[in-house]
Amino acid sequence: MSNRFVLKRIPGEGNFQGHYRLDACWPQIRTGSMYGKELPSQFEFTMTRKKEKEVILSKPRAAAATSYLLLGALAGCGGSTATTPVTPNPAYHFIAPQAGGQSVYADVVVDNLNNTLNRTLTEKITAVNADGSFTASWADASKTVTMSGTVDQTFYPTVSDYNNVGQTLRYTVTSYSGSSTSCTASPHGEEVPSPLSGSQSWTLDYSLACGGSPAVSVSQIGEFMDAEMVAVPAGTFNAYRFVHTTVYAQGGTTITKYVTTWLNASTTDSRVLQVVTDYAYSGSTPAAQGSIISDTLALQSYK
């Protein structure tokens, strides 16, 4: 028997979001740097942070020191059980967008120099093929060039090709000086697969090759958590919620992304409603000054 528990965020204590699955009398971490390690389920655990947002687990401490609390204990292993309301048997099937459709997003980026970047990104669906694959352009209409520390945080115009379940196949980024870089994901990028049923998990290993640089190997593990309501600037929507963890290396730095995605659950489209991403850095080379530590994308308007 397997029960799912969700980390409950305590207001004012950061924005990391994660999830766990408890198997038998031992929970195994499904996201985070301690993935696969077993911990006794008869305790409540707190989640705290260290430098560079390394995620660790410990026994409960004083309430003031607690960032997150894993509520409840596995039934049959002692203690009470706390659950999160779920929608019975949700099922996700990707619905292709319509050509000419447009979505506008508020994008809030925070870096490791404590800078916050607010920008508005527009996605336009420029072509939809007979098999459901499609092409979209992304742009920041302000064309603001932003350097943070040693990192260029500018969002340059991007044209992306997606397969028929909304996963990236290739994209081209064009700088404001006119130079372009094209990247190819093989077999595809890390967007949510389709179809999925509630609580179903997935894994993915893919490579990303950009320009003439060596391909980067990327590993992902994810899960379809539930169907629920989500409020974004564009309104309140029925949504499907997914979580995934993605790991890859650049030079001596290992980057881990913890991602929660809400997709539209209507019968008209599967547009992105909100994506919350936290970044953690490890390895022999420290993260560059100005590296992103969190990125929140939320739908503002659509047509």
Side-chain angles (χ1 to χ4, degrees):
M1 179 179 178
S2 177
N3 293 330
R4 185 177 72 231
F5 291 77
V6 178
L7 288 172
K8 298 294 186 179
R9 180 183 173 187
I10 296 176
E13 292 292 339
N15 61 1
F16 177 85
Q17 300 186 38
H19 73 291
Y20 299 83
R21 178 173 293 281
L22 305 188
D23 297 305
C25 288
W26 297 88
Q28 286 197 338
I29 298 171
R30 295 292 190 183
T31 61
S33 60
M34 295 176 67
Y35 166 69
K37 293 186 178 180
E38 296 180 339
L39 297 166
S41 61
Q42 62 265 35
F43 298 108
E44 290 182 339
F45 290 94
T46 61
M47 178 168 283
T48 57
R49 301 172 186 263
K50 283 186 175 181
K51 185 178 179 182
E52 298 295 348
K53 299 183 68 175
E54 175 188 1
V55 177
I56 63 171
L57 293 176
S58 61
K59 293 183 181 180
R61 296 184 290 176
T66 301
S67 293
Y68 300 87
L69 182 64
L70 177 59
L71 300 174
L74 184 61
C77 294
S80 61
T81 301
T83 60
T84 300
V86 297
T87 301
N89 304 314
Y92 165 67
H93 295 270
F94 181 79
I95 301 173
Q98 298 294 313
Q102 176 176 295
S103 300
V104 179
Y105 294 92
D107 187 33
V108 181
V109 175
V110 179
D111 66 28
N112 60 5
L113 295 177
N114 294 319
N115 296 315
T116 299
L117 170 64
N118 292 279
R119 57 192 175 195
T120 301
L121 305 181
T122 300
E123 178 197 35
K124 295 181 180 180
I125 307 301
T126 57
V128 178
N129 302 313
D131 65 354
S133 60
F134 60 99
T135 300
S137 65
W138 288 82
D140 176 359
S142 73
K143 297 184 178 180
T144 301
V145 176
T146 304
M147 287 295 299
S148 181
T150 61
V151 178
D152 186 354
Q153 298 288 14
T154 306
F155 190 95
Y156 293 106
T158 302
V159 175
S160 299
D161 293 323
Y162 301 90
N163 63 16
N164 60 3
V165 295
Q167 296 165 315
T168 302
L169 298 176
R170 65 194 67 86
Y171 60 89
T172 298
V173 180
T174 302
S175 72
Y176 295 129
S177 66
S179 62
S180 296
T181 301
S182 295
C183 301
T184 300
S186 181
H188 53 73
E190 62 192 61
E191 292 86 354
V192 174
S194 175
L196 289 173
S197 56
S199 298
Q200 185 176 351
S201 60
W202 75 87
T203 60
L204 171 68
D205 292 309
Y206 74 96
S207 64
L208 183 66
C210 294
S213 300
V216 174
S217 297
V218 185
S219 295
Q220 179 196 53
I221 182 168
E223 184 176 358
F224 178 10
M225 299 299 288
D226 200 6
E228 61 187 26
M229 303 296 291
V230 64
V232 293
T236 300
F237 297 83
N238 291 314
Y240 297 123
R241 177 166 56 92
F242 309 86
V243 296
H244 75 256
T245 300
T246 300
V247 181
Y248 58 98
Q250 290 183 335
T253 305
T254 297
I255 298 100
T256 304
K257 298 195 303 183
Y258 305 99
V259 184
T260 302
T261 300
W262 289 263
L263 298 181
N264 191 20
S266 76
T267 58
T268 57
D269 61 65
S270 297
R271 79 176 68 240
V272 172
L273 299 174
Q274 184 168 256
V275 182
V276 177
T277 306
D278 281 284
Y279 292 75
Y281 300 90
S282 60
S284 59
T285 303
Q289 294 297 295
S291 296
I292 296 175
I293 60 172
S294 69
D295 187 354
T296 299
L297 187 77
L299 183 66
Q300 280 189 323
S301 64
Y302 62 95
K303 63 181 181 180

